[in-house]
Amino acid sequence: MTSWELLSFGDTGWGDEIASGVVITISLALATLPLGLLIGFLVALAKQSQEWSLRTAADIYTTIFRGLPELLTLFLVYFGMQIAVQQTIALMGLDISFEFNSFVAGMIALGLVFSSYASEVFLSAFRAIPQGQYEGGFALGIRKKTVMRLIIFPQLVRIALPGLANLWMLLLKDTALVSAIGLADIVRQTGIAARVTKQAFLFYGVSFLLFLILALLSSIVIARIEAFSEKGDAR
Amino acid sequence: MKFVAAEILPDETPPPPPPRQWNNARLTGNILMLFWMLAGIGLVWFLYSAWSPEKFDRYGIKYWTGLQTTLSLVGISIVLGAIISLPIAFGRLSKNKIIGALSFSYVYIFRGTPLLVQVFLIYYGLGTFRAELDALGIWIFFRDAWNCAILAFTLNTAAYQAEILRGAIQSVPKGQWEGADSLGIPRWKTFRKIILPQALIVALRPYGNEIILMIKGSAIVALVTVYDLMGETRRAYSRTFDFQMYIWAAVFYFVIVEALRNIWNWLEKRLTRHLKR
């Protein structure tokens, strides 16, 4: 069979399998993003709190998840949660076999890693905003939460955007790891095709190109968003 | 008459600081710290209760060799990558459009795709051309997962290091070049003695981050049958189904990364002490 037949959609080709892998990869990355951003933002808030214990707790979080290899974090979450849930079920005296969803495990593990990096990005963005912005808001009698939402947050997003864009690229690449816990993403699907057809170079080349295309598309979208966020900048 | 302040205002002890208020931040912080403490105690207790001399005898030495594999893999690829990164960084700085575009593509391609896919493409993918590689006599090299991992890691880190180097060289102000030019110093000597020392200080932190990223990233070679720290961990887990295997791997990786981070912080402080004001 020629390469085109192998990559075609349908019964004989692997095109549809690989396409479903692309969908899984993209949806995993997109599902992790809001989770990671939210936790990262909260951790950044904790890190610049005046309360010692809150700062330390947040620092411990970042140190742990930036110090472990992403693949190991993934295995720890996947196997660890499986064992934890099974033991809880056994403790409750139930007899259910439980298989932890690898998509959820991937989302949690990648979210932990993403959020610990994102918290550093948010933190340095927080530090880039002058204290006078808060004080000005308070002087006008605006409530603390409203100051945060209407004055600080819009500036914060603009400053943090380049760093977050970098993290998105990292996240996209890290999704390749979930193939190791059996999620049918790009790498897994092309790997199966490579083993079945013995055309390893073709299929791994395809997955290589697919990730490159995803990176290129991301660059374009990010450039658009950055241009949009800079529209209000004083010149 | 002479007035002395002490006669009018006797010493007074300062008032005690107001008691710290309980607010939401303090409550959350204390709960989270309690959680981390319990997690830490639970971890130690788990490792203590799961300890078995028999498993230590069998797998302890494996972890040690795995650790050595990880460190030598990272060490070799960082050094080789540093060498390859030089021409790429100069290519990025070059005024020649073709050379610039070529080195930009190299950097973009290797930074835009996952390291895992690069390793797979080289190790499994090149197997497709076995006959051709055999004819060239280099199949022996590509047959071995270790060589393929070194090759992929070197090419990957070369792209990242080239960007670090380029950024650092560009961060040196133009006046440094012009000053050297006006003194009649040859370009190469200017680069080596004036630009590079200043650029390397800027590059120090990103280089440290790159080494840490490589140590963490190197765990994926376990997926192409190289038995590094992660590979030995996976093998030990698949034989014992004992979760402490993964916990120990986490402890080792964490200790290496933290040690390196602290060494690098110390190094940076030491090397930039002349810049402190």
Side-chain angles (χ1 to χ4, degrees), chain A residues 57 66 75 117 173 201 219, chain B residues 36 108 111 128 160 216 230:
Chain A
R66 292 204 310 176
F75 282 145
Y117 281 99
K173 288 187 279 173
F201 191 78
S219 307
Chain B
W36 282 127
Y108 196 90
R111 298 207 315 170
T128 310
Y160 283 92
K216 295 198 298 168
M230 189 73 194

Side-chain angles (χ1 to χ4, degrees), chain B residues 13-251:
Chain B
T13 49
R20 286 211 314 144
Q21 296 284 315
W22 274 98
N23 54 16
N24 280 343
R26 194 175 168 200
L27 188 68
T28 324
N30 278 303
I31 291 172
L32 289 175
M33 280 309 277
L34 188 69
F35 169 77
W36 282 127
M37 264 182 239
L38 288 178
I41 293 168
L43 186 74
V44 173
W45 180 79
F46 172 68
L47 288 178
Y48 177 75
S49 62
W51 179 262
S52 92
E54 181 198 339
K55 277 177 190 157
F56 177 75
D57 281 347
R58 189 177 299 166
Y59 298 110
I61 188 76
K62 294 266 174 69
Y63 273 73
W64 176 237
T65 56
L67 191 62
Q68 286 170 321
T69 310
T70 293
L71 291 180
S72 52
L73 182 70
V74 173
I76 293 170
S77 354
I78 289 277
V79 172
L80 292 179
I83 296 167
I84 297 179
S85 75
L86 289 175
I88 302 165
F90 289 127
R92 288 279 276 133
L93 291 166
S94 154
K95 288 196 182 78
N96 185 323
K97 275 205 174 137
I98 298 170
I99 296 176
L102 277 178
S103 34
F104 175 76
S105 321
Y106 178 89
V107 169
Y108 196 90
I109 287 172
F110 278 97
R111 298 207 315 170
T113 52
L115 184 54
L116 179 68
V117 176
Q118 292 163 18
V119 173
F120 277 176
L121 189 64
I122 289 177
Y123 181 54
Y124 294 122
L126 290 183
T128 310
F129 306 113
R130 186 178 171 172
E132 290 87 341
L133 291 172
D134 227 355
L136 284 170
I138 50 172
W139 172 243
I140 292 177
F141 178 85
F142 289 106
R143 200 177 51 185
D144 192 3
W146 166 260
N147 292 337
C148 291
I150 291 267
L151 180 64
F153 278 37
T154 303
L155 294 177
N156 183 276
T157 189
Y160 283 92
Q161 289 189 36
E163 278 304 275
I164 294 172
L165 201 57
R166 180 191 64 91
I169 291 173
Q170 278 182 338
S171 78
V172 179
K174 219 174 159 200
Q176 300 283 330
W177 284 102
E178 289 165 352
D181 275 351
S182 65
L183 290 172
I185 302 172
R187 299 254 337 143
W188 169 243
K189 200 172 256 178
T190 307
F191 178 73
R192 200 162 50 91
K193 299 217 154 171
I194 298 169
I195 306 300
L196 202 58
Q198 300 182 65
L200 286 182
I201 294 261
V202 177
L204 200 62
R205 180 148 290 269
Y207 267 129
N209 288 341
E210 172 62 11
I211 295 175
I212 289 175
L213 279 182
M214 280 300 278
I215 288 178
K216 295 198 298 168
S218 74
I220 61 153
V221 289
L223 303 178
V224 289
T225 68
V226 173
Y227 288 102
D228 70 328
L229 184 52
M230 189 73 194
E232 292 292 358
T233 307
R234 263 161 62 92
R235 183 151 68 178
Y237 182 74
S238 67
R239 287 190 187 156
T240 57
F241 288 104
D242 189 347
F243 195 61
Q244 67 162 317
M245 299 300 176
Y246 277 120
I247 301 283
W248 279 115
V251 170

Side-chain angles (χ1 to χ4, degrees), chain A residues 164-182:
Chain A
L164 294 178
N166 257 341
L167 291 182
W168 164 257
M169 293 297 209
L170 272 181
L171 174 66
L172 205 56
K173 288 187 279 173
D174 280 346
T175 55
L177 299 175
V178 292
S179 60
I181 56 169

